[in-house]
Amino acid sequence: MWKLKLSEGNDVRLESANNHIGRQYWEFDPNLGTPQEQAQVEKARDEFKKNRFHDKQSSDLLMRIQFAKENPCEMEIPQVKVKTEKEITDEAVATTLRRALRFYSTLQTEDGFWSGDYGGPLFLLPGLVIGLSITGALNAILPLEHRHEILRYLYNHQNIDGGWGLHIEGTSTMFCTALCYVTLRLLGEAMDGGDGSMEKARKWILDHGGVTYIPSWGKMWLSLLACLARVQILAACKPRATREI
């Protein structure tokens, strides 16, 4: 089970001018959580996966589950509902603001900041994985549990047409579809992996002209992997050769 660690830096390789205040990272502990808590996390994951094409934002749900336990909020202030503008009074506004402040205070860390996922862009994570791969540090920097979560993240944000957008709510682009596909392969996914997701991604790439249509930034990453030249050679070969990509 994962736990969000806040403002910690117990590592001699890390330096900080403010005692690591504001730092946040997830740490995996196989023994963390009761069976009920683990079931709650799995339920949240399943619900997100089921509704991923409709609600693409995770809303930091796992963080909120953790914070609800560490800093529970009993909302004693009644909710104000209005039907017309005439019902909006100073008291109604003040009550609503107090409820909002009460709620967001439960998401505030002890150091005073609000942590959150920098989610959205889908072209950043591939760069990390490709960079670690070409330097031979992939498994050292990203343990098995982290790699597993990266796979989950990428599959959850794959569009229904098989591609990936520039960001998690964007329509599919060659840039991010090719990079996310390569990232999955570097992380060990088979060509037919992901319950058909890999095949759908590959089909999207080929149906849109092939990976040679990736923009310059993508060409840079692929050239580091010597992938682009290989794909260009395969494109000139028999069609069945593209299945080896």
Side-chain angles (χ1 to χ4, degrees), residues 7-74:
S7 302
E8 295 186 18
N10 299 323
D11 192 323
V12 295
R13 297 168 294 182
L14 296 177
E15 295 184 4
S16 174
N18 67 344
N19 197 28
H20 303 286
I21 293 177
R23 182 172 184 251
Q24 54 184 26
Y25 63 96
W26 288 93
E27 183 177 83
F28 182 77
D29 183 351
N31 301 315
L32 184 65
T34 65
Q36 292 77 14
E37 291 170 339
Q38 294 175 1
Q40 183 184 18
V41 169
E42 288 303 317
K43 181 180 179 180
R45 285 172 170 164
D46 291 341
E47 286 294 319
F48 178 77
K49 182 179 179 180
K50 182 172 64 176
N51 299 302
R52 67 189 184 278
F53 296 125
H54 182 264
D55 298 318
K56 298 189 176 184
Q57 297 284 350
S58 69
S59 302
D60 293 314
L61 195 55
L62 298 188
M63 180 197 77
R64 291 171 182 256
I65 291 175
Q66 176 180 323
F67 280 16
K69 176 185 176 182
E70 297 176 351
N71 189 20
C73 173
E74 296 182 3

Side-chain angles (χ1 to χ4, degrees), residues 65-110:
I65 291 175
Q66 176 180 323
F67 280 16
K69 176 185 176 182
E70 297 176 351
N71 189 20
C73 173
E74 296 182 3
M75 190 62 69
E76 299 174 352
I77 305 173
Q79 183 179 9
V80 177
K81 295 184 178 181
V82 296
K83 296 181 179 179
T84 65
E85 291 186 4
K86 294 181 179 180
E87 297 179 14
I88 302 176
T89 64
D90 290 343
E91 182 180 356
V93 172
T95 299
T96 301
L97 288 174
R98 284 197 298 270
R99 281 177 57 88
L101 290 172
R102 180 71 177 275
F103 171 75
Y104 281 106
S105 68
T106 66
L107 302 177
Q108 188 177 23
T109 69
E110 293 184 2

